[in-house]
Amino acid sequence: MTLAAIQNDFRLWLSKADDAAAARIGDGPGLAVYQNNYRVQLMDCLESAYPQSLAWLGDAAFRAVAAHHVDRFAPDSWTIDDYPADFATTLATFYPDDPEVGELAILELALANAFVALDSPVLTTSDLPATDWDRASLRLAPSAKLLTMTTNAAAIWSALAQDEEPPAAALLHAPVTLMTWRHDHISCYRTLDGDEAAIFRSLGDGLGFADICAALADRAGDDAPGGRAGLLLARWATEQCLAFA
Amino acid sequence: MTASSSLFGLGMRTPHYAHFLDEDVPVDFVEVISENFMVAGGKLRDILRRVRERLPVALHGVSMSVGSATGLDPSYLDRLRALVDEVDPLFVSDHLCWTRVAGFSSHDLLPIPYTAEALDIVSAHVRQAQDALGRAMLIENPSSYVGFAQSEMSEWEFLAALVERTGCGLLLDVNNIYVSAHNHGFDPLAYVAGLPIEHVRQIHLAGHSQGEHLLIDTHDQPVPDPVWALYRHVMRRVGRVAVMIERDDNIPPLPDLLAELDVARALAGERLAA
């Protein structure tokens, strides 16, 4: 029996509990130890990646979905930190009539990704006076991500994260754009104003400050959008959510 | 070579980060799990940089999978090389095991049969990794719960051949020897006697749990007396090594681990008097 054949049988035993594969590997109680380690580690990984989803759904409901996910999806990345990425979709699929479940999970995933995103210079308040704004171009910081929310999942997350009683799930009057990013090593989120959301979605690889002012004028019908642009620029620099393109 | 020239350290785990950042913890080095810091950026990388300014750091991996029949993951090696370049570690180590094959990662340290075929594969992978990292690696003896009828040599004979073929060093986990000796019925002293002991560069000390049929390498308990006894036996034979307490779960307060490390120092010191 070659090494490849043994490892294929191990894979079948761990991920599918294939008894025939186990028999080919050999007898003894040790194989059960490995299978238990495999499943417990993946379940623990999902629980630690989605603590507020776990709190929202309750242990039994969350673990039922997690067990289904572990049965269906074997990890393939070198890092177990990648395994939880698809679980938000599994949660949303299990709760199609409760859209806050999927959105809460997506928010948790985005916050976790922001925590380990690439280190990169960001726009700060000290950059504001020294920058040639006729030439400067801005883009989202590497840690920043935009999410569309149709429910109050963010309010639920916030309450749960502070050990407070969460609000009842509710649909928003209209979808909003949420930004997640990292500031001073801490993952953050906030709801964007409508004009901010439109600008951030158009930043792409870089947008000049004059273009940002023009976009604000287009949206507001404002002949003098510079004031609003200045306020937003100061806010973005304070939050450190943008970078120079 | 004297025992006093050995180094004594701890595995640095999350509950103790603040101690290592803000205090003069009495250790010669720390070891971290490489994969925990092979992220693009953020707080963890910052912590590692700041700790490295204070102490030597050993990088200990769990996902290289040198025993994989389908090859090493080049992206893994690239990320590890980037971390090595940033940290300039005391050692880079991983386990004699497999964790993944193409399309599947177990995230567990799975055993390999000790065959000529496996020796060829593992040797090629260790050489590939050492080339990619630009330095010699340390390979750690695993604990295991399954043996293979196909095995053609003992684990210590396999490790000795691996060292000879690749020039790698050894990270000797004394608890793993004890656990595997119990589970597979071999003599731990014969294991130590069969190793190329002069190539041991680092030693792990840990605890285990009693399962229904087997000892389980949980690394969540204090170092037990039989492991201390085996450690004392090993320390009479090795040269200058880096010794550390490796606690992975049920993490106690830092002073508890430092007290265990003092025991390790004292037992190493006995070698001088012997």
Side-chain angles (χ1 to χ4, degrees):
Chain A
M1 198 172 184
T2 64
L3 184 63
I6 289 172
Q7 292 177 348
N8 188 54
D9 279 339
F10 244 104
R11 170 184 180 158
L12 291 171
W13 167 245
L14 296 178
S15 62
K16 304 291 183 191
D18 186 319
D19 289 332
R24 287 191 294 272
I25 298 169
D27 294 328
L31 283 176
V33 175
Y34 288 114
Q35 191 183 70
N36 182 66
N37 287 352
Y38 172 79
R39 292 190 65 84
V40 167
Q41 185 164 219
L42 295 182
M43 293 289 287
D44 287 350
C45 170
L46 295 177
E47 289 185 17
S48 62
Y50 294 94
Q52 310 316 341
S53 296
L54 173 64
W56 179 247
L57 290 173
D59 290 359
F62 183 94
R63 286 175 184 152
V65 184
H68 170 86
H69 190 82
V70 170
D71 286 340
R72 285 204 59 193
F73 303 105
D76 62 0
S77 168
W78 60 267
T79 173
I80 197 169
D81 291 344
D82 286 345
Y83 188 65
D86 295 331
F87 187 58
T89 302
T90 299
L91 280 170
T93 303
F94 261 71
Y95 290 93
D97 298 327
D98 302 289
E100 87 284 356
V101 174
E103 291 189 356
L104 180 61
I106 287 170
L107 175 57
E108 290 202 84
L109 182 65
L111 291 169
N113 289 338
F115 186 70
V116 295
L118 183 69
D119 291 324
S120 174
V122 291
L123 174 70
T124 68
T125 51
S126 62
D127 293 318
L128 295 180
T131 298
D132 177 357
W133 290 105
D134 290 335
R135 303 168 68 93
S137 185
L138 296 170
R139 60 177 173 81
L140 288 175
S143 71
K145 182 176 175 61
L146 305 180
L147 308 174
T148 300
M149 291 283 166
T150 64
T151 73
N152 63 337
I156 293 170
W157 183 93
S158 183
L160 292 170
Q162 298 174 64
D163 285 330
E164 296 173 355
E165 186 67 23
L171 289 172
L172 302 176
H173 296 302
V176 298
T177 299
L178 210 67
M179 176 175 65
T180 56
W181 81 104
R182 186 177 73 225
H183 184 192
D184 285 346
H185 297 315
I186 297 172
S187 296
C188 317
Y189 77 84
R190 75 171 171 87
T191 302
L192 300 180
D193 295 340
D195 53 357
E196 276 186 296
I199 289 166
F200 279 12
R201 290 191 184 282
S202 67
L203 285 177
D205 293 333
L207 195 64
F209 186 63
D211 297 323
I212 290 173
C213 291
L216 287 170
D218 285 346
R219 286 186 60 84
D222 188 346
D223 291 335
R228 171 68 173 159
L231 287 172
L232 288 176
L233 190 62
R235 181 180 196 178
W236 300 333
T238 302
E239 293 176 334
Q240 300 183 6
C241 60
L242 295 183
F244 289 111
Chain B
M1 191 65 66
T2 67
S4 61
S5 64
S6 287
L7 304 176
F8 293 87
L10 292 176
M12 187 176 75
R13 302 295 182 258
T14 305
H16 302 147
Y17 285 168
H19 291 286
F20 286 103
L21 288 171
D22 301 333
E23 303 167 14
D24 287 327
V25 180
V27 295
D28 300 315
F29 73 101
V30 294
E31 182 191 86
V32 299
I33 302 299
S34 309
E35 288 79 2
N36 291 348
F37 298 89
M38 289 163 62
V39 292
K43 186 175 183 178
L44 293 172
R45 293 295 289 264
D46 182 64
I47 288 171
L48 185 59
R49 278 191 288 269
R50 290 162 59 200
V51 168
R52 179 65 186 89
E53 291 171 1
R54 303 171 70 106
L55 288 166
V57 171
L59 295 177
H60 184 50
V62 295
S63 298
M64 185 176 285
S65 196
V66 295
S68 172
T70 58
L72 301 182
D73 181 342
S75 69
Y76 176 89
L77 292 178
D78 289 345
R79 281 179 178 259
L80 181 57
R81 174 63 193 250
L83 191 64
V84 166
D85 287 345
E86 180 171 317
V87 171
D88 187 20
L90 185 62
F91 302 114
V92 182
S93 60
D94 209 301
H95 301 79
L96 177 62
C97 72
W98 69 284
T99 63
R100 55 166 292 281
V101 288
F104 175 74
S105 188
S106 71
H107 300 294
D108 195 7
L109 309 176
L110 301 175
I112 58 173
Y114 298 127
T115 62
E117 181 212 11
L119 181 59
D120 288 343
I121 290 171
V122 173
S123 298
H125 290 162
V126 170
R127 282 194 295 265
Q128 180 187 349
Q130 292 183 148
D131 288 346
L133 300 176
R135 59 164 59 213
M137 288 185 61
L138 305 186
I139 297 297
E140 177 179 349
N141 58 299
S143 56
S144 62
Y145 317 113
V146 167
F148 297 95
Q150 297 91 338
S151 286
E152 299 158 356
M153 63 191 94
S154 65
E155 185 172 293
W156 55 93
E157 289 170 332
F158 192 96
L159 283 167
L162 182 66
V163 167
E164 184 175 344
R165 287 189 183 196
T166 68
C168 72
L170 295 176
L171 192 175
L172 198 61
D173 188 311
V174 179
N175 177 64
N176 287 355
I177 297 176
Y178 184 82
V179 166
S180 289
H182 176 275
N183 291 344
H184 301 301
F186 62 74
D187 177 2
L189 300 184
Y191 190 114
V192 175
L195 287 173
I197 203 80
E198 68 277 15
H199 292 280
V200 174
R201 299 281 178 268
Q202 189 180 355
I203 289 179
H204 277 176
L205 290 163
H208 54 261
S209 299
Q210 177 67 59
E212 187 176 357
H213 303 287
L214 302 164
L215 291 184
I216 309 298
D217 169 28
T218 46
H219 278 53
D220 63 352
Q221 300 295 322
V223 180
D225 287 344
V227 174
W228 282 127
L230 187 56
Y231 165 70
R232 185 184 314 176
H233 177 81
V234 168
M235 289 302 284
R236 288 177 177 153
R237 286 155 179 80
V238 294
R240 182 175 188 261
V241 291
V243 178
M244 56 163 273
I245 308 294
E246 185 186 41
R247 190 68 168 261
D248 294 331
D249 207 349
N250 189 28
I251 308 288
L254 187 61
D256 292 10
L257 296 180
L258 290 171
E260 281 194 288
L261 195 60
D262 282 342
V263 175
R265 285 192 182 96
L267 290 174
E270 281 184 13
R271 188 176 64 162
L272 290 173

